[in-house]
Amino acid sequence: SQQGEEDPQALSIQEGENATMNCSYKTSINNLQWYRQNSGRGLVHLILIRSNEREKHSGRLRVTLDTSKKSSSLLITASRAADTASYFCATDTGTYKYIFGTGTRLKVLA
Amino acid sequence: GAGVSQSPRYKVAKRGQDVALRCDPISGHVSLFWYQQALGQGPEFLTYFQNEAQLDKSGLPSDRFFAERPEGSVSTLKIQRTQQEDSAVYLCASSRLGPNNEQFFGPGTRLTVL
């Protein structure tokens, strides 16, 4: 079974807009990671946030983590058509298993 | 350097056939993971190797699934007597040892069982 659930399941926005997707999980974690998957490049690591961190930035990406609510959000600013992909959160519970969520399908319209 | 590679990229099998899927991790990566991804879903953990030791195989769906990594580098996932429900993309990932390391994924093998 999958621990994480992304919300929304699908999101469609115009190029230049911001995209926000959320991830909820069930158990305590060491870290949470966000991945992007499209048909062209497979599954690609975007950013990792440790359990003792609350916010992290990487380029146009901003990730927040609220361990009290067991939730994380990924913000993509100034979206581009190339950002069209599925986005997954993955939690590392310290047991070797990385548990992926169900994914958010993002479509950026040019 | 080279990333994680998997072969074959596509495999069509008749129900009941055995298949073997190969993963070449990034050189020097101690940790190796196999995942199964059904259409429209996120990857689901199958098994984990640390060097040649299979430390966790709790995600393998049945005893028809078997994975090995005999020399601590290349890994093979074998599925015996394939069933239609085995149809999925099988992803391999590798990483450095220890917490807080990102996983590098291969392109996957798309298995279709007819």
Side-chain angles (χ1 to χ4, degrees):
Chain A
S1 62
Q2 298 186 285
Q3 135 145 280
E5 287 190 8
E6 279 91 342
D7 165 51
Q9 290 188 349
L11 180 61
S12 186
I13 59 174
Q14 295 292 326
E15 206 167 28
E17 293 181 338
N18 296 342
T20 299
M21 51 205 87
N22 305 294
C23 166
S24 60
Y25 57 91
K26 298 174 185 172
T27 63
S28 60
I29 59 173
N30 281 348
N31 64 64
L32 184 144
Q33 306 178 37
W34 283 91
Y35 287 82
R36 180 181 65 218
Q37 186 176 43
N38 57 34
S39 58
R41 292 194 59 194
L43 205 63
V44 175
H45 181 269
L46 295 176
I47 196 165
L48 180 153
I49 186 165
R50 293 177 171 79
S51 60
N52 61 353
E53 297 176 313
R54 292 296 167 258
E55 188 171 313
K56 204 160 182 181
H57 297 255
S58 177
R60 294 184 294 113
L61 305 180
R62 171 179 169 254
V63 169
T64 62
L65 179 64
D66 187 334
T67 53
S68 67
K69 295 181 179 177
K70 292 187 171 57
S71 67
S72 174
S73 67
L74 171 67
L75 168 67
I76 305 173
T77 60
S79 62
R80 306 166 182 168
D83 294 328
T84 294
S86 291
Y87 291 81
F88 296 92
C89 65
T91 51
D92 172 10
T93 61
T95 60
Y96 309 120
K97 287 182 182 180
Y98 285 70
I99 309 297
F100 281 77
T102 50
T104 291
R105 293 184 303 281
L106 173 66
K107 189 169 188 177
V108 181
L109 305 170
Chain B
V4 178
S5 61
Q6 292 186 245
S7 62
R9 292 291 310 276
Y10 303 91
K11 176 70 179 177
V12 178
K14 290 184 180 177
R15 190 160 53 99
Q17 280 185 330
D18 298 349
V19 298
L21 313 179
R22 176 186 169 108
C23 172
D24 283 82
I26 292 173
S27 178
H29 277 189
V30 169
S31 298
L32 185 145
F33 305 80
W34 282 99
Y35 294 87
Q36 180 189 61
Q37 186 175 24
L39 190 65
Q41 299 293 314
E44 293 220 19
F45 172 87
L46 293 178
T47 187
Y48 165 70
F49 288 87
Q50 190 176 109
N51 293 307
E52 70 279 3
Q54 189 175 20
L55 298 188
D56 190 331
K57 55 181 181 179
S58 61
L60 296 176
S62 75
D63 58 7
R64 296 185 295 103
F65 286 71
F66 172 75
E68 60 183 5
R69 194 186 184 196
E71 296 178 358
S73 56
V74 171
S75 177
T76 303
L77 176 67
K78 297 178 179 177
I79 309 173
Q80 297 176 326
R81 304 181 304 281
T82 52
Q83 304 293 315
Q84 284 188 322
E85 61 263 28
D86 299 335
S87 295
V89 175
Y90 291 86
L91 297 166
C92 175
S94 70
S95 72
R96 294 184 180 89
L97 184 64
N100 302 318
N101 282 304
E102 70 173 277
Q103 295 182 67
F104 293 84
F105 280 81
T109 295
R110 182 178 297 277
L111 172 65
T112 302
V113 181
L114 303 176

